[in-house]
Amino acid sequence: MLRDPSLIQLSRQHHRALALCVRIERTLPDGAVDLGAWQLEMQQLYADEVRFHFEAEEKVLFPAAQRFPDLAALVEELGGEHERLREYFGCAEQGAMKQGELEAFAKLLSGHIRKEERQLFETMQKRMQPEALKSLGKDLARALEDAVQVCRLRPAQN
């Protein structure tokens, strides 16, 4: 299903996070994993985008989804995954992540994103009226504005 414009910004952020997961998963079989570099990248992604993304989902998207009784369990599951993912990001911030944790992080994050895209977003798009989706999109844009500001303020890297 084509993604509704109200959810596009979240989907774009999902795409960037999935790209990180794919890169991690591709390097793991090689055995020589630079955990320090991956942890730095995770820290940056969390600081620039993920923390705002999670907050927008928890304050705007999840409450809207919970209006549909059949999505309540999924929303609860996704919220729990946010907590586990925050723990992984915290571990990376402390520089304490081990290779097995990096692998588990990538698996959890990619699965989480796919659930949101394939189950939560799809169902919401089918069930919500166009006006409600448009309003949701405006609320999400406001909630994500801090992430946009962080990106604007970040100096270009050569």
Side-chain angles (χ1 to χ4, degrees), residues 73-133:
L74 177 61
V75 168
E76 187 73 27
E77 181 180 349
L78 293 169
E81 289 174 356
H82 278 190
E83 289 308 310
R84 289 197 307 281
L85 288 163
R86 281 185 178 103
E87 290 171 9
Y88 281 119
F89 283 113
C91 188
E93 185 175 353
Q94 295 169 11
M97 188 167 270
K98 294 177 177 44
Q99 185 168 329
E101 292 169 317
L102 181 66
E103 185 174 2
F105 162 78
K107 185 176 181 177
L108 177 61
L109 182 57
S110 64
H112 173 81
I113 290 168
R114 291 182 198 319
K115 269 188 247 177
E116 285 186 349
E117 289 286 336
R118 294 175 183 166
Q119 296 175 42
L120 185 67
F121 289 9
E122 292 290 322
T123 302
M124 291 181 78
Q125 283 183 205
K126 289 176 185 173
R127 301 254 180 91
M128 292 180 78
Q129 295 296 318
E131 305 81 34
L133 269 171

Side-chain angles (χ1 to χ4, degrees), residues 8-70:
I8 290 282
Q9 191 170 5
L10 291 176
S11 286
R12 286 185 182 138
Q13 291 174 343
H14 283 164
H15 180 75
R16 287 188 285 278
L18 276 175
L20 172 66
C21 294
V22 167
R23 290 187 0 260
I24 290 171
E25 290 167 352
R26 285 183 181 163
T27 63
L28 290 171
D30 294 340
V33 176
D34 184 350
L35 288 172
W38 286 117
Q39 290 175 107
L40 285 173
E41 188 167 347
M42 287 172 63
Q43 289 172 36
Q44 198 66 58
L45 181 66
Y46 187 78
D48 288 352
E49 196 165 273
V50 172
R51 65 187 172 124
F52 302 109
H53 180 97
F54 282 1
E55 190 173 302
E57 287 180 339
E58 292 164 357
K59 289 184 176 179
V60 179
L61 185 69
F62 290 175
Q66 286 180 317
R67 293 184 198 134
F68 303 99
D70 58 325

Side-chain angles (χ1 to χ4, degrees), residues 146-157:
D146 286 339
V148 171
Q149 290 301 323
V150 167
C151 291
R152 285 185 190 141
L153 296 173
R154 178 166 301 270
Q157 297 184 0

